């Protein structure tokens, strides 16, 4: 018998079985929080709510195997929108109009 068929017939180890159960649990937690939790938060949930002592790297590896990745919200940058007509008067009488396009405003 060749080595491949001997390897193919080997039963699933306890570690592999535990990984399968953990993958189901990770997928459940991931779906529960709508994909917003990454591997760190999922590890915390597994420890607190499910009493599972799991390493961060193991959760990360299993999440990569399942193609799960947290949705990352980028910080929003605000913009200033000028509304109303409550502006200060031009006390220094500066000229704020450009003479030609792409030229500095004359002072």
């Amino acid at each position: 018998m060749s080595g491949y068929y001997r390897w193919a017939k080997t039963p699933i180890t306890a570690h592999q079985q535990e990984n399968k159960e953990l993958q189901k649990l990770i997928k459940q937690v991931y779906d529960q929080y709508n994909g917003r939790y990454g591997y760190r938060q999922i590890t915390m949930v597994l420890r607190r709510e499910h009493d599972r002592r799991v390493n961060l790297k193991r959760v990360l590896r299993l999440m990569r195997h399942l193609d799960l990745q947290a949705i990352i919200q980028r910080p929003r940058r605000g913009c200033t929108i000028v509304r109303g007509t409550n502006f200060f008067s031009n006390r220094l009488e500066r000229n704020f109009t450009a003479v030609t396009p792409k030229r500095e405003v004359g002072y």
Side-chain angles (χ1 to χ4, degrees):
M1 180 182 280
S2 69
Y4 170 75
Y5 292 106
R6 189 178 307 134
W7 170 80
K9 287 172 82 175
T10 56
I12 297 175
T13 63
H15 188 72
Q16 290 172 338
Q17 185 64 33
E18 189 179 344
N19 278 345
K20 284 187 179 184
E21 292 172 7
L22 207 57
Q23 283 178 346
K24 290 178 187 175
L25 199 56
I26 288 171
K27 178 72 172 142
Q28 178 186 346
V29 172
Y30 183 82
D31 291 337
Q32 178 184 354
Y33 292 99
N34 301 320
R36 291 195 174 111
Y37 275 15
Y39 71 97
R40 291 185 184 108
Q41 287 136 328
I42 289 178
T43 306
M44 285 184 357
V45 169
L46 291 176
R47 287 180 182 173
R48 290 180 183 168
E49 297 176 10
H50 300 280
D51 292 330
R52 301 287 299 259
R53 297 286 299 168
V54 187
N55 193 330
L56 281 171
K57 293 180 229 174
R58 186 175 183 186
V59 174
L60 177 62
R61 177 174 47 84
L62 294 175
M63 283 182 69
R64 284 182 180 164
H65 182 73
L66 294 170
D67 291 329
L68 300 178
Q69 192 173 14
I71 298 170
I72 299 171
Q73 289 185 340
R74 302 291 179 206
R76 294 183 183 177
R77 294 191 178 142
C79 61
T80 304
I81 300 173
V82 178
R83 294 195 173 123
T85 57
N86 192 10
F87 299 112
F88 293 105
S89 61
N90 188 5
R91 290 185 183 176
L92 299 178
E93 297 181 8
R94 290 183 173 175
N95 181 14
F96 291 108
T97 56
V99 181
T100 59
K102 297 185 179 180
R103 190 165 181 200
E104 278 191 32
V105 176
Y107 293 109

